[in-house]
Amino acid sequence: MGTRPVSTVSKFLSLTISLDTGTLRPNGNPIVSRVRINGVREDATFEDLYDFAYLYSGLVSKSIADITVNENSALGPID
């Protein structure tokens, strides 16, 4: 383990929208469907993504159960 400088080579964002299907499991928990959108612009704000999720849910006529933003960063340099 050295003290090599490490930087972010690239960053990838994805948005996951969990939608309530209106159906319950036998244990009473709701069944949700998930939509994952990859390639989200790095300059998108959380407010942009939140607004997009609600616009999407209106198109499919389902209620939102959860909205998640995932970030994956590639680190470098690789020797």
Side-chain angles (χ1 to χ4, degrees):
M1 301 295 160
T3 57
R4 240 176 273 173
V6 177
S7 62
T8 301
V9 177
S10 59
K11 182 170 83 170
F12 303 97
L13 296 176
S14 64
L15 174 68
T16 302
I17 307 168
S18 300
L19 300 164
D20 187 342
T21 63
T23 306
L24 298 177
R25 297 184 189 281
N27 65 5
N29 291 336
I31 296 176
V32 296
S33 63
R34 289 182 178 79
V35 176
R36 185 173 184 156
I37 300 163
N38 296 314
V40 174
R41 292 175 45 153
E42 287 184 38
D43 62 345
T45 66
F46 288 142
E47 290 80 10
D48 293 335
L49 300 176
Y50 182 89
D51 291 344
F52 176 83
Y54 273 90
L55 288 171
Y56 180 84
S57 73
L59 292 174
V60 296
S61 300
K62 297 198 187 295
S63 299
I64 291 182
D66 190 40
I67 304 169
T68 306
V69 178
N70 299 299
E71 177 182 326
N72 293 315
S73 297
L75 303 178
I78 305 295
D79 293 341

